[in-house]
Short mmCIF file of all heavy atoms in Angstrom, two decimals:
data_model
loop_
_atom_site.label_atom_id
_atom_site.label_comp_id
_atom_site.label_asym_id
_atom_site.label_seq_id
_atom_site.Cartn_x
_atom_site.Cartn_y
_atom_site.Cartn_z
N MET A 240 23.20 27.76 97.74
CA MET A 240 23.96 28.80 97.17
C MET A 240 23.09 29.86 96.45
O MET A 240 23.15 30.99 96.79
CB MET A 240 24.91 28.24 96.02
CG MET A 240 25.89 29.23 95.41
SD MET A 240 27.20 29.79 96.44
CE MET A 240 27.80 31.20 95.58
N ALA A 241 22.23 29.37 95.54
CA ALA A 241 21.25 30.32 94.91
C ALA A 241 20.42 31.02 95.93
O ALA A 241 20.06 32.16 95.76
CB ALA A 241 20.49 29.56 93.84
N GLU A 242 20.02 30.23 96.91
CA GLU A 242 19.08 30.76 97.91
C GLU A 242 19.72 31.81 98.71
O GLU A 242 19.11 32.83 98.99
CB GLU A 242 18.62 29.58 98.80
CG GLU A 242 17.16 29.58 98.88
CD GLU A 242 16.70 28.29 99.73
OE1 GLU A 242 16.93 28.38 100.99
OE2 GLU A 242 16.22 27.33 99.12
N SER A 243 20.99 31.57 99.17
CA SER A 243 21.63 32.70 99.97
C SER A 243 21.85 33.95 99.17
O SER A 243 21.87 34.99 99.69
CB SER A 243 22.93 32.10 100.50
OG SER A 243 23.83 31.87 99.47
N GLU A 244 22.08 33.79 97.83
CA GLU A 244 22.32 34.86 97.01
C GLU A 244 21.05 35.69 96.87
O GLU A 244 21.05 36.93 96.91
CB GLU A 244 22.84 34.51 95.65
CG GLU A 244 23.17 35.66 94.78
CD GLU A 244 23.88 35.32 93.55
OE1 GLU A 244 24.18 34.14 93.38
OE2 GLU A 244 24.14 36.22 92.76
N GLN A 245 19.97 34.99 96.79
CA GLN A 245 18.61 35.68 96.74
C GLN A 245 18.35 36.42 97.97
O GLN A 245 17.85 37.57 97.95
CB GLN A 245 17.48 34.65 96.43
CG GLN A 245 17.57 34.12 95.00
CD GLN A 245 16.29 33.44 94.58
OE1 GLN A 245 15.40 33.12 95.44
NE2 GLN A 245 16.10 33.30 93.33
N ASP A 246 18.70 35.75 99.16
CA ASP A 246 18.54 36.47 100.40
C ASP A 246 19.31 37.73 100.48
O ASP A 246 18.90 38.78 100.97
CB ASP A 246 19.02 35.53 101.62
CG ASP A 246 17.96 34.41 101.79
OD1 ASP A 246 16.92 34.47 101.22
OD2 ASP A 246 18.33 33.50 102.53
N TYR A 247 20.55 37.62 99.94
CA TYR A 247 21.50 38.81 99.91
C TYR A 247 20.82 39.96 99.06
O TYR A 247 20.76 41.13 99.40
CB TYR A 247 22.77 38.38 99.24
CG TYR A 247 23.74 39.48 98.97
CD1 TYR A 247 24.43 40.14 99.91
CD2 TYR A 247 24.13 39.70 97.63
CE1 TYR A 247 25.36 41.05 99.59
CE2 TYR A 247 25.07 40.64 97.26
CZ TYR A 247 25.66 41.34 98.28
OH TYR A 247 26.59 42.24 97.94
N HIS A 248 20.23 39.59 97.94
CA HIS A 248 19.54 40.56 97.11
C HIS A 248 18.37 41.18 97.84
O HIS A 248 18.21 42.44 97.76
CB HIS A 248 19.08 39.90 95.77
CG HIS A 248 20.15 39.67 94.75
ND1 HIS A 248 20.12 38.70 93.82
CD2 HIS A 248 21.46 40.22 94.72
CE1 HIS A 248 21.22 38.62 93.13
NE2 HIS A 248 22.04 39.60 93.63
N LEU A 249 17.59 40.35 98.48
CA LEU A 249 16.39 40.79 99.18
C LEU A 249 16.84 41.75 100.32
O LEU A 249 16.17 42.79 100.54
CB LEU A 249 15.52 39.64 99.71
CG LEU A 249 14.84 38.76 98.69
CD1 LEU A 249 14.21 37.56 99.34
CD2 LEU A 249 13.92 39.59 97.86
N GLU A 250 17.94 41.35 101.00
CA GLU A 250 18.45 42.23 102.12
C GLU A 250 18.83 43.60 101.57
O GLU A 250 18.50 44.66 102.18
CB GLU A 250 19.59 41.51 102.78
CG GLU A 250 19.87 42.05 104.13
CD GLU A 250 21.14 41.46 104.66
OE1 GLU A 250 21.40 40.19 104.52
OE2 GLU A 250 21.87 42.18 105.35
N LEU A 251 19.59 43.59 100.48
CA LEU A 251 20.07 44.87 99.92
C LEU A 251 18.86 45.70 99.40
O LEU A 251 18.87 46.94 99.47
CB LEU A 251 21.12 44.59 98.83
CG LEU A 251 22.46 44.09 99.32
CD1 LEU A 251 23.37 43.86 98.15
CD2 LEU A 251 23.09 44.97 100.31
N TRP A 252 17.84 44.95 98.85
CA TRP A 252 16.76 45.62 98.35
C TRP A 252 16.01 46.40 99.52
O TRP A 252 15.66 47.56 99.41
CB TRP A 252 15.77 44.67 97.69
CG TRP A 252 14.61 45.21 97.02
CD1 TRP A 252 13.49 45.78 97.59
CD2 TRP A 252 14.37 45.27 95.66
NE1 TRP A 252 12.66 46.18 96.57
CE2 TRP A 252 13.11 45.90 95.42
CE3 TRP A 252 15.16 44.77 94.56
CZ2 TRP A 252 12.54 46.05 94.13
CZ3 TRP A 252 14.51 44.97 93.22
CH2 TRP A 252 13.32 45.58 93.10
N ALA A 253 15.85 45.70 100.61
CA ALA A 253 15.22 46.27 101.81
C ALA A 253 15.99 47.41 102.38
O ALA A 253 15.47 48.39 102.88
CB ALA A 253 15.11 45.17 102.88
N LYS A 254 17.31 47.36 102.29
CA LYS A 254 18.22 48.46 102.78
C LYS A 254 18.45 49.61 101.71
O LYS A 254 19.17 50.57 102.02
CB LYS A 254 19.62 47.96 103.14
CG LYS A 254 19.56 47.01 104.38
CD LYS A 254 20.90 46.56 104.69
CE LYS A 254 20.94 45.65 105.98
NZ LYS A 254 22.22 44.95 106.12
N ASN A 255 17.81 49.40 100.50
CA ASN A 255 18.05 50.41 99.49
C ASN A 255 19.48 50.56 99.04
O ASN A 255 19.99 51.68 99.04
CB ASN A 255 17.46 51.72 99.80
CG ASN A 255 15.88 51.64 99.79
OD1 ASN A 255 15.33 51.05 98.83
ND2 ASN A 255 15.22 52.18 100.75
N ILE A 256 20.16 49.42 98.87
CA ILE A 256 21.62 49.50 98.43
C ILE A 256 21.67 48.66 97.10
O ILE A 256 21.11 47.55 97.06
CB ILE A 256 22.52 48.88 99.45
CG1 ILE A 256 22.45 49.77 100.73
CG2 ILE A 256 23.98 48.84 98.88
CD1 ILE A 256 23.15 49.08 101.95
N TYR A 257 22.39 49.16 96.12
CA TYR A 257 22.62 48.45 94.84
C TYR A 257 23.59 47.35 95.04
O TYR A 257 24.77 47.58 95.59
CB TYR A 257 23.11 49.31 93.70
CG TYR A 257 22.09 50.39 93.32
CD1 TYR A 257 22.42 51.66 93.45
CD2 TYR A 257 20.91 50.01 92.74
CE1 TYR A 257 21.54 52.68 93.01
CE2 TYR A 257 20.03 50.97 92.31
CZ TYR A 257 20.34 52.34 92.42
OH TYR A 257 19.46 53.30 92.00
N PRO A 258 23.29 46.11 94.67
CA PRO A 258 24.25 44.97 94.93
C PRO A 258 25.54 45.06 94.16
O PRO A 258 26.58 44.54 94.57
CB PRO A 258 23.42 43.70 94.50
CG PRO A 258 22.29 44.19 93.80
CD PRO A 258 22.01 45.66 94.08
N ASN A 259 25.54 45.74 93.02
CA ASN A 259 26.83 45.73 92.21
C ASN A 259 27.74 46.83 92.71
O ASN A 259 28.90 46.54 93.17
CB ASN A 259 26.54 45.93 90.76
CG ASN A 259 27.83 45.95 89.95
OD1 ASN A 259 28.59 45.01 90.01
ND2 ASN A 259 28.02 46.89 89.18
N CYS A 260 27.31 48.08 92.80
CA CYS A 260 28.19 49.20 93.04
C CYS A 260 28.09 49.65 94.54
O CYS A 260 28.89 50.42 94.96
CB CYS A 260 27.99 50.36 92.11
SG CYS A 260 26.27 50.85 92.12
N GLY A 261 27.12 49.16 95.28
CA GLY A 261 27.01 49.53 96.70
C GLY A 261 26.49 50.90 96.98
O GLY A 261 26.53 51.39 98.05
N LYS A 262 25.97 51.66 95.91
CA LYS A 262 25.39 52.92 96.08
C LYS A 262 23.96 52.82 96.74
O LYS A 262 23.33 51.82 96.64
CB LYS A 262 25.28 53.67 94.82
CG LYS A 262 26.55 54.13 94.17
CD LYS A 262 26.28 54.85 92.95
CE LYS A 262 27.50 54.90 91.99
NZ LYS A 262 27.15 55.02 90.63
N ASP A 263 23.57 53.93 97.41
CA ASP A 263 22.24 53.99 97.94
C ASP A 263 21.29 54.14 96.80
O ASP A 263 21.51 54.72 95.70
CB ASP A 263 22.05 55.20 98.81
CG ASP A 263 22.82 55.04 100.18
OD1 ASP A 263 23.19 53.96 100.48
OD2 ASP A 263 23.11 56.02 100.81
N ILE A 264 20.06 53.55 96.94
CA ILE A 264 19.00 53.57 95.86
C ILE A 264 17.95 54.64 96.19
O ILE A 264 17.29 54.48 97.25
CB ILE A 264 18.39 52.18 95.77
CG1 ILE A 264 19.41 51.19 95.56
CG2 ILE A 264 17.29 52.24 94.59
CD1 ILE A 264 18.85 49.71 95.53
N PRO A 265 17.87 55.62 95.41
CA PRO A 265 16.78 56.62 95.57
C PRO A 265 15.44 55.83 95.38
O PRO A 265 15.47 54.88 94.59
CB PRO A 265 16.99 57.66 94.44
CG PRO A 265 18.34 57.37 93.89
CD PRO A 265 18.66 55.89 94.18
N GLU A 266 14.42 56.23 96.06
CA GLU A 266 13.20 55.59 96.01
C GLU A 266 12.69 55.36 94.55
O GLU A 266 12.68 56.23 93.73
CB GLU A 266 12.06 56.43 96.75
CG GLU A 266 10.79 55.63 97.05
CD GLU A 266 11.02 54.35 97.82
OE1 GLU A 266 11.72 54.34 98.79
OE2 GLU A 266 10.37 53.29 97.35
N GLY A 267 12.37 54.06 94.21
CA GLY A 267 11.85 53.77 92.87
C GLY A 267 12.80 53.73 91.74
O GLY A 267 12.45 53.58 90.62
N LYS A 268 14.11 53.89 92.06
CA LYS A 268 15.04 53.94 90.93
C LYS A 268 15.79 52.74 90.92
O LYS A 268 17.01 52.53 91.29
CB LYS A 268 16.10 55.08 91.33
CG LYS A 268 15.48 56.49 91.22
CD LYS A 268 15.40 56.97 89.83
CE LYS A 268 14.88 58.43 89.73
NZ LYS A 268 14.63 58.85 88.33
N ARG A 269 15.19 51.66 90.35
CA ARG A 269 15.84 50.38 90.27
C ARG A 269 15.69 49.90 88.81
O ARG A 269 14.65 49.96 88.27
CB ARG A 269 15.20 49.35 91.17
CG ARG A 269 15.71 49.45 92.56
CD ARG A 269 15.06 48.31 93.42
NE ARG A 269 15.37 48.36 94.79
CZ ARG A 269 14.70 49.12 95.73
NH1 ARG A 269 13.58 49.74 95.36
NH2 ARG A 269 15.09 49.16 96.95
N VAL A 270 16.80 49.26 88.32
CA VAL A 270 16.80 48.62 87.02
C VAL A 270 17.06 47.13 87.24
O VAL A 270 17.89 46.85 88.16
CB VAL A 270 17.84 49.31 86.17
CG1 VAL A 270 17.93 48.60 84.77
CG2 VAL A 270 17.56 50.81 85.98
N GLY A 271 16.53 46.32 86.40
CA GLY A 271 16.84 44.99 86.51
C GLY A 271 15.70 44.12 85.90
O GLY A 271 14.90 44.58 85.10
N SER A 272 15.60 42.93 86.40
CA SER A 272 14.50 42.01 85.85
C SER A 272 13.18 42.44 86.42
O SER A 272 12.13 41.92 85.98
CB SER A 272 14.84 40.60 86.13
OG SER A 272 14.73 40.40 87.64
N GLY A 273 13.19 43.15 87.50
CA GLY A 273 11.95 43.60 88.16
C GLY A 273 11.65 42.65 89.37
O GLY A 273 10.76 42.86 90.17
N LYS A 274 12.41 41.51 89.49
CA LYS A 274 12.18 40.54 90.57
C LYS A 274 13.15 41.01 91.65
O LYS A 274 14.30 41.16 91.40
CB LYS A 274 12.50 39.13 90.14
CG LYS A 274 11.30 38.53 89.35
CD LYS A 274 11.55 36.99 89.24
CE LYS A 274 12.54 36.73 88.07
NZ LYS A 274 12.79 35.41 87.89
N LYS A 275 12.69 41.15 92.91
CA LYS A 275 13.46 41.42 94.06
C LYS A 275 14.61 40.46 94.20
O LYS A 275 15.73 40.89 94.56
CB LYS A 275 12.59 41.43 95.29
CG LYS A 275 11.78 42.65 95.54
CD LYS A 275 11.24 42.56 97.02
CE LYS A 275 10.19 43.69 97.21
NZ LYS A 275 9.74 43.67 98.60
N ALA A 276 14.31 39.23 94.04
CA ALA A 276 15.35 38.18 94.25
C ALA A 276 16.51 38.31 93.24
O ALA A 276 17.58 37.80 93.52
CB ALA A 276 14.72 36.84 94.06
N ASP A 277 16.34 38.99 92.14
CA ASP A 277 17.34 39.19 91.15
C ASP A 277 18.16 40.48 91.47
O ASP A 277 19.22 40.79 90.86
CB ASP A 277 16.87 39.25 89.75
CG ASP A 277 16.34 37.95 89.26
OD1 ASP A 277 16.72 36.90 89.83
OD2 ASP A 277 15.52 37.90 88.35
N GLY A 278 17.71 41.16 92.41
CA GLY A 278 18.37 42.43 92.78
C GLY A 278 17.89 43.68 91.97
O GLY A 278 17.38 43.56 90.92
N GLY A 279 18.15 44.89 92.52
CA GLY A 279 17.89 46.07 91.85
C GLY A 279 19.17 46.82 91.51
O GLY A 279 20.06 46.80 92.40
N PHE A 280 19.31 47.40 90.40
CA PHE A 280 20.55 48.04 90.02
C PHE A 280 20.38 49.49 89.59
O PHE A 280 19.30 49.97 89.19
CB PHE A 280 21.22 47.28 88.83
CG PHE A 280 21.50 45.82 89.26
CD1 PHE A 280 20.54 44.80 89.10
CD2 PHE A 280 22.74 45.50 89.77
CE1 PHE A 280 20.73 43.60 89.54
CE2 PHE A 280 23.06 44.26 90.15
CZ PHE A 280 21.99 43.22 90.06
N CYS A 281 21.45 50.37 89.63
CA CYS A 281 21.31 51.75 89.33
C CYS A 281 21.15 52.00 87.87
O CYS A 281 20.59 53.04 87.42
CB CYS A 281 22.42 52.52 89.97
SG CYS A 281 24.07 52.10 89.26
N SER A 282 21.66 51.09 87.02
CA SER A 282 21.58 51.30 85.55
C SER A 282 21.70 49.96 84.96
O SER A 282 22.05 48.97 85.48
CB SER A 282 22.76 52.22 85.14
OG SER A 282 23.97 51.53 85.34
N LEU A 283 21.35 49.93 83.64
CA LEU A 283 21.46 48.66 82.81
C LEU A 283 22.90 48.21 82.78
O LEU A 283 23.23 47.04 82.83
CB LEU A 283 20.86 48.83 81.45
CG LEU A 283 19.41 48.77 81.36
CD1 LEU A 283 18.85 49.00 80.01
CD2 LEU A 283 18.88 47.32 81.88
N ASN A 284 23.78 49.24 82.72
CA ASN A 284 25.25 48.95 82.71
C ASN A 284 25.68 48.14 84.03
O ASN A 284 26.41 47.13 83.99
CB ASN A 284 26.09 50.20 82.66
CG ASN A 284 26.30 50.60 81.15
OD1 ASN A 284 26.19 49.76 80.32
ND2 ASN A 284 26.84 51.78 81.00
N CYS A 285 25.17 48.69 85.12
CA CYS A 285 25.42 48.15 86.45
C CYS A 285 24.90 46.70 86.50
O CYS A 285 25.62 45.77 86.93
CB CYS A 285 24.88 48.95 87.50
SG CYS A 285 25.65 48.79 89.06
N TYR A 286 23.69 46.50 86.05
CA TYR A 286 23.03 45.16 85.95
C TYR A 286 23.87 44.24 85.08
O TYR A 286 24.20 43.07 85.53
CB TYR A 286 21.66 45.34 85.41
CG TYR A 286 20.79 44.16 85.18
CD1 TYR A 286 20.26 43.52 86.25
CD2 TYR A 286 20.51 43.71 83.87
CE1 TYR A 286 19.48 42.39 86.09
CE2 TYR A 286 19.71 42.57 83.73
CZ TYR A 286 19.19 41.95 84.81
OH TYR A 286 18.45 40.87 84.61
N ALA A 287 24.28 44.65 83.95
CA ALA A 287 24.97 43.86 82.95
C ALA A 287 26.34 43.45 83.62
O ALA A 287 26.75 42.27 83.47
CB ALA A 287 25.15 44.60 81.60
N GLU A 288 27.00 44.44 84.18
CA GLU A 288 28.28 44.19 84.84
C GLU A 288 28.24 43.20 85.87
O GLU A 288 29.07 42.23 85.96
CB GLU A 288 28.76 45.52 85.48
CG GLU A 288 30.24 45.67 85.72
CD GLU A 288 30.59 46.99 86.31
OE1 GLU A 288 30.37 48.02 85.62
OE2 GLU A 288 30.87 47.04 87.53
N TYR A 289 27.18 43.27 86.69
CA TYR A 289 27.05 42.32 87.84
C TYR A 289 26.83 40.91 87.25
O TYR A 289 27.50 39.98 87.72
CB TYR A 289 25.82 42.75 88.66
CG TYR A 289 25.63 41.89 89.90
CD1 TYR A 289 26.34 42.07 91.07
CD2 TYR A 289 24.60 40.93 89.89
CE1 TYR A 289 26.14 41.27 92.13
CE2 TYR A 289 24.38 40.10 91.01
CZ TYR A 289 25.20 40.28 92.13
OH TYR A 289 24.97 39.51 93.26
N TYR A 290 26.00 40.73 86.31
CA TYR A 290 25.75 39.40 85.78
C TYR A 290 26.81 38.88 84.92
O TYR A 290 27.06 37.67 84.88
CB TYR A 290 24.29 39.40 85.11
CG TYR A 290 23.30 39.19 86.18
CD1 TYR A 290 22.58 40.32 86.72
CD2 TYR A 290 23.01 37.97 86.77
CE1 TYR A 290 21.69 40.25 87.73
CE2 TYR A 290 22.13 37.86 87.86
CZ TYR A 290 21.45 38.94 88.25
OH TYR A 290 20.58 38.86 89.29
N ARG A 291 27.56 39.79 84.27
CA ARG A 291 28.70 39.37 83.50
C ARG A 291 29.71 38.79 84.39
O ARG A 291 30.32 37.74 84.14
CB ARG A 291 29.25 40.50 82.63
CG ARG A 291 30.26 40.08 81.69
CD ARG A 291 30.65 41.19 80.64
NE ARG A 291 30.76 42.48 81.28
CZ ARG A 291 30.21 43.57 80.91
NH1 ARG A 291 29.54 43.67 79.80
NH2 ARG A 291 30.46 44.76 81.54
N ALA A 292 29.94 39.46 85.57
CA ALA A 292 30.92 38.96 86.61
C ALA A 292 30.49 37.58 87.10
O ALA A 292 31.33 36.71 87.28
CB ALA A 292 31.04 39.93 87.71
N LYS A 293 29.22 37.42 87.26
CA LYS A 293 28.78 36.16 87.70
C LYS A 293 28.94 35.02 86.75
O LYS A 293 29.32 33.93 87.07
CB LYS A 293 27.20 36.32 88.02
CG LYS A 293 26.91 36.47 89.51
CD LYS A 293 25.44 36.54 89.76
CE LYS A 293 24.67 35.35 89.27
NZ LYS A 293 23.40 35.24 90.02
N ILE A 294 28.68 35.38 85.38
CA ILE A 294 28.90 34.39 84.31
C ILE A 294 30.30 33.98 84.28
O ILE A 294 30.68 32.78 84.13
CB ILE A 294 28.33 34.94 83.06
CG1 ILE A 294 26.82 34.96 83.11
CG2 ILE A 294 28.82 34.06 81.84
CD1 ILE A 294 26.23 35.86 82.02
N VAL A 295 31.24 34.94 84.35
CA VAL A 295 32.69 34.70 84.33
C VAL A 295 33.09 33.72 85.50
O VAL A 295 33.79 32.73 85.32
CB VAL A 295 33.53 36.00 84.36
CG1 VAL A 295 34.98 35.69 84.55
CG2 VAL A 295 33.25 36.81 83.03
N GLU A 296 32.55 34.11 86.63
CA GLU A 296 32.87 33.32 87.85
C GLU A 296 32.43 31.84 87.69
O GLU A 296 33.08 30.91 88.02
CB GLU A 296 32.10 33.93 89.07
CG GLU A 296 32.62 33.60 90.38
CD GLU A 296 31.72 34.27 91.45
OE1 GLU A 296 31.80 35.51 91.54
OE2 GLU A 296 30.94 33.57 92.16
N ARG A 297 31.21 31.67 87.16
CA ARG A 297 30.62 30.35 86.96
C ARG A 297 31.46 29.58 85.99
O ARG A 297 31.72 28.38 86.13
CB ARG A 297 29.18 30.42 86.49
CG ARG A 297 28.41 29.13 86.65
CD ARG A 297 26.99 29.33 86.20
NE ARG A 297 26.29 30.40 86.96
CZ ARG A 297 25.48 31.24 86.40
NH1 ARG A 297 25.17 31.16 85.13
NH2 ARG A 297 24.93 32.21 87.03
N ALA A 298 31.87 30.24 84.89
CA ALA A 298 32.71 29.63 83.82
C ALA A 298 33.97 29.15 84.34
O ALA A 298 34.45 28.01 84.02
CB ALA A 298 32.92 30.61 82.63
N LYS A 299 34.62 29.93 85.28
CA LYS A 299 35.89 29.59 85.93
C LYS A 299 35.69 28.26 86.69
O LYS A 299 36.54 27.43 86.77
CB LYS A 299 36.36 30.72 86.75
CG LYS A 299 37.13 31.75 86.06
CD LYS A 299 37.75 32.76 87.04
CE LYS A 299 38.06 34.02 86.43
NZ LYS A 299 38.17 35.05 87.52
N ARG A 300 34.60 28.30 87.47
CA ARG A 300 34.32 27.13 88.39
C ARG A 300 34.11 25.87 87.51
O ARG A 300 34.64 24.87 87.93
CB ARG A 300 33.05 27.47 89.21
CG ARG A 300 33.06 26.68 90.46
CD ARG A 300 31.84 27.09 91.35
NE ARG A 300 31.56 28.54 91.43
CZ ARG A 300 30.42 29.06 91.45
NH1 ARG A 300 29.34 28.36 91.38
NH2 ARG A 300 30.29 30.39 91.54
N VAL A 301 33.36 26.01 86.46
CA VAL A 301 33.18 24.88 85.53
C VAL A 301 34.46 24.34 85.02
O VAL A 301 34.75 23.15 84.95
CB VAL A 301 32.07 25.17 84.46
CG1 VAL A 301 31.98 24.06 83.42
CG2 VAL A 301 30.75 25.40 85.06
N ALA A 302 35.31 25.34 84.55
CA ALA A 302 36.61 25.02 83.99
C ALA A 302 37.42 24.26 85.05
O ALA A 302 38.09 23.21 84.72
CB ALA A 302 37.35 26.19 83.54
N ALA A 303 37.38 24.69 86.36
CA ALA A 303 38.16 23.98 87.37
C ALA A 303 37.66 22.63 87.60
O ALA A 303 38.43 21.72 87.79
CB ALA A 303 38.00 24.88 88.70
N ILE A 304 36.40 22.45 87.58
CA ILE A 304 35.78 21.13 87.78
C ILE A 304 36.18 20.13 86.67
O ILE A 304 36.60 19.08 86.90
CB ILE A 304 34.27 21.22 87.92
CG1 ILE A 304 33.89 21.86 89.17
CG2 ILE A 304 33.65 19.72 87.80
CD1 ILE A 304 32.40 22.33 89.32
N ALA A 305 36.12 20.72 85.48
CA ALA A 305 36.47 19.90 84.27
C ALA A 305 38.03 19.47 84.31
O ALA A 305 38.36 18.37 84.05
CB ALA A 305 36.27 20.69 82.98
N GLU A 306 38.83 20.48 84.77
CA GLU A 306 40.26 20.23 84.96
C GLU A 306 40.54 19.08 85.92
O GLU A 306 41.28 18.16 85.70
CB GLU A 306 40.92 21.49 85.38
CG GLU A 306 42.34 21.44 85.64
CD GLU A 306 43.21 21.40 84.43
OE1 GLU A 306 42.69 21.53 83.31
OE2 GLU A 306 44.45 21.30 84.52
N ARG A 307 39.81 19.21 87.10
CA ARG A 307 39.97 18.18 88.14
C ARG A 307 39.62 16.88 87.66
O ARG A 307 40.20 15.80 87.83
CB ARG A 307 39.16 18.57 89.31
CG ARG A 307 39.87 18.46 90.64
CD ARG A 307 39.01 18.89 91.79
NE ARG A 307 38.65 20.27 91.66
CZ ARG A 307 37.46 20.73 92.12
NH1 ARG A 307 36.57 20.05 92.62
NH2 ARG A 307 37.24 22.13 91.93
N HIS A 308 38.47 16.76 86.85
CA HIS A 308 37.92 15.56 86.28
C HIS A 308 38.90 14.93 85.38
O HIS A 308 39.06 13.75 85.35
CB HIS A 308 36.60 15.95 85.65
CG HIS A 308 35.88 14.71 85.16
ND1 HIS A 308 35.28 13.85 86.08
CD2 HIS A 308 35.66 14.22 83.97
CE1 HIS A 308 34.72 12.86 85.38
NE2 HIS A 308 34.93 12.99 84.07
N ARG A 309 39.51 15.81 84.53
CA ARG A 309 40.46 15.31 83.52
C ARG A 309 41.66 14.62 84.21
O ARG A 309 42.22 13.67 83.63
CB ARG A 309 40.87 16.48 82.73
CG ARG A 309 41.22 16.16 81.24
CD ARG A 309 40.95 17.27 80.29
NE ARG A 309 41.40 18.60 80.82
CZ ARG A 309 42.69 18.97 80.68
NH1 ARG A 309 43.57 18.23 80.06
NH2 ARG A 309 42.99 20.25 81.15
N LYS A 310 42.03 15.16 85.31
CA LYS A 310 43.26 14.66 86.03
C LYS A 310 43.02 13.39 86.81
O LYS A 310 43.99 12.66 87.12
CB LYS A 310 43.88 15.73 86.94
CG LYS A 310 44.65 16.79 86.19
CD LYS A 310 45.09 17.89 87.07
CE LYS A 310 45.95 18.89 86.35
NZ LYS A 310 46.14 20.11 87.14
N SER A 311 41.78 13.14 87.22
CA SER A 311 41.54 12.03 88.08
C SER A 311 41.30 10.73 87.32
O SER A 311 41.22 10.74 86.04
CB SER A 311 40.23 12.33 88.88
OG SER A 311 39.05 12.32 88.02
ZN1 ZN B 700 25.32 50.60 90.21
#
């Protein structure tokens, strides 16, 4: 899972597309952790938004697992 997501980031990096908003990336205009595998973003807001969405998604998944566990 983590690996395919990194591949996705690397692919978008190579194509000069921002992973969050899908805009084209002007040369050298990337914000983020600085690691290709973490993706490049158009702004810190865009970066924060992307990772906030990911955290919410993960929290939901954990909640669903916990729920299933409680019922079994
Ligand atoms: Zn963006």
Side-chain angles (χ1 to χ4, degrees):
M240 181 74 191
E242 235 177 70
S243 65
E244 186 169 357
Q245 290 198 340
D246 286 347
Y247 171 69
H248 286 156
L249 292 175
E250 197 187 323
L251 289 181
W252 186 290
K254 288 182 180 167
N255 289 317
I256 298 168
Y257 293 121
N259 183 51
C260 57
K262 288 183 204 154
D263 289 343
I264 305 174
E266 193 58 45
K268 294 276 185 188
R269 284 185 181 87
V270 176
S272 69
K274 279 189 283 177
K275 277 191 190 183
D277 290 339
F280 299 86
C281 64
S282 65
L283 280 177
N284 270 347
C285 203
Y286 177 73
E288 198 180 292
Y289 184 78
Y290 280 97
R291 192 165 43 222
K293 263 180 58 157
I294 288 163
V295 168
E296 196 182 295
R297 197 179 305 140
K299 276 189 205 157
R300 208 178 309 144
V301 170
I304 290 165
E306 177 77 1
R307 224 177 300 146
H308 186 71
R309 212 151 42 83
K310 282 178 179 166
S311 66

